[in-house]
Amino acid sequence: YRLVPEVCFPEQYYDALRATKHFLQPDVLAQYSVDPSRIAISGDSAGGNLAAAVCQQLSKDEDLIIRPKLQALIYPVLQAFDFNTPSYQQNMNMPVLPRYVMINYWIDYFNGNYDLAHALLINNHTALNVGQALSFRGRLNWTSLLPSSFKKNYKPVVQTTGMAEIIQQMPALLDVRAVPLLADNETLQLQPKTYMLTCENDVLRDDGVMYAKRLENAGVEVTLDHFDDCFHGCMIFTVWPTDFSAGVQTRNSYIKWLDENL
């Protein structure tokens, strides 16, 4: 898929969707000797976002003959609704992906204004007086979706009065094609068997854990593979001189699940 700043949302989503639908055509699968009953959609970080969004769209496409058997999401980016989940608070200054960098990535993706970064950081865009956000609040209630071991002693950050103009300027903040965690339960029920890898030292940990819980609540079979001693992006660190144990163990666990389930 094409990258920022060449193009912004929703072009990356459409690129990934077009490529996937092309690959799923019977003649294309035959060309590459692919078993149509053993296809997985997978991605890490921003790729995990696109993988989840594409999977949701494919599940609603009634004309599709061949569908993925699995989705495997590796520390995916799934929501821009709440930048004060416990993992965002706990890891706000964690190297590789501190909170302010993740917020700037969202602004880049939506072709927004960096002047809005602080307002996003304190959840002004989803304050109680922002009507567009109200219907989504229950789909991302981490106080009920996260286990106590992840909630720890963190408190929700919910502004009473915020800035509705942020949503007007960046409506994609509430577009499920960009933020798959906000999808409705009817869509989640259609998702394939799911693998979710999360890392403790990662602002995105709770994105993955909440999505896993919502999928599970919707009746989807989910494996949540959580690593207490790993960090965002660690799976790429498997080759010398950055062959870290965090990279090796996450990669091996991911491949093992695919071997056993695909």
Side-chain angles (χ1 to χ4, degrees):
Y1 56 90
R2 292 166 293 165
L3 304 177
V4 170
E6 178 193 356
V7 298
C8 297
F9 176 82
E11 296 308 316
Q12 287 86 349
Y13 164 78
Y14 284 130
D15 286 350
L17 182 61
R18 277 192 298 266
T20 305
K21 291 181 75 170
H22 173 78
F23 183 72
L24 289 175
Q25 295 177 95
D27 57 332
V28 176
L29 295 176
Q31 180 184 346
Y32 293 102
S33 302
V34 174
D35 182 344
S37 67
R38 300 179 62 233
I39 297 170
I41 292 182
S42 186
D44 73 300
S45 195
N49 171 286
L50 292 170
V54 165
C55 231
Q56 288 183 5
Q57 181 56 39
L58 294 179
S59 71
K60 295 182 284 189
D61 188 337
E62 296 179 355
D63 296 327
L64 205 62
I65 301 172
I66 297 167
R67 299 179 183 278
K69 180 182 181 181
L70 312 169
Q71 66 174 340
L73 309 178
I74 301 165
Y75 33 72
V77 190
L78 297 173
Q79 61 90 23
F81 191 95
D82 185 355
F83 291 109
N84 289 275
T85 62
S87 62
Y88 263 113
Q89 294 187 55
Q90 172 183 299
N91 300 299
M92 66 174 68
N93 296 313
M94 186 63 62
V96 180
L97 190 63
R99 178 169 60 175
Y100 77 91
V101 170
M102 190 63 244
I103 290 173
N104 284 341
Y105 283 162
W106 277 116
I107 293 173
D108 287 338
Y109 191 32
F110 297 150
N111 196 26
N113 191 324
Y114 291 131
D115 291 343
L116 297 175
H118 179 71
L120 291 169
L121 186 148
I122 60 175
N123 288 345
N124 266 351
H125 61 305
T126 53
L128 295 178
N129 72 322
V130 179
Q132 303 98 308
L134 286 178
S135 62
F136 293 102
R137 188 167 298 282
R139 300 178 191 177
L140 205 154
N141 180 7
W142 60 256
T143 62
S144 63
L145 291 171
L146 295 179
S148 57
S149 59
F150 287 173
K151 288 186 285 191
K152 301 182 173 69
N153 293 316
Y154 293 106
K155 305 299 181 187
V157 175
V158 181
Q159 305 295 350
T160 303
T161 304
M163 299 168 62
E165 57 267 32
I166 299 176
I167 301 296
Q168 293 164 5
Q169 292 180 41
M170 293 191 290
L173 285 162
L174 299 178
D175 189 322
V176 294
R177 298 173 301 171
V179 286
L181 183 54
L182 297 187
D184 57 36
N185 288 333
E186 290 74 19
T187 300
L188 297 189
Q189 290 170 359
L190 301 173
Q191 300 315 295
K193 188 175 183 179
T194 299
Y195 172 85
M196 181 74 68
L197 188 148
T198 56
C199 297
E200 181 68 20
N201 305 302
D202 181 4
V203 292
L204 302 177
R205 179 199 69 192
D206 295 342
D207 285 25
V209 175
M210 286 190 288
Y211 195 45
K213 185 61 175 177
R214 287 200 65 207
L215 287 169
E216 189 178 75
N217 290 345
V220 177
E221 186 177 344
V222 180
T223 297
L224 177 60
D225 201 7
H226 180 68
F227 291 84
D228 281 322
D229 56 350
C230 293
F231 55 93
H232 187 79
C234 64
M235 196 182 286
I236 65 173
F237 296 107
T238 57
V239 180
W240 186 89
T242 56
D243 49 339
F244 301 157
S245 61
V248 173
Q249 65 175 316
T250 51
R251 180 197 61 191
N252 289 351
S253 190
Y254 165 66
I255 296 298
K256 181 174 184 290
W257 187 88
L258 289 176
D259 279 342
E260 293 173 351
N261 292 277
L262 188 57

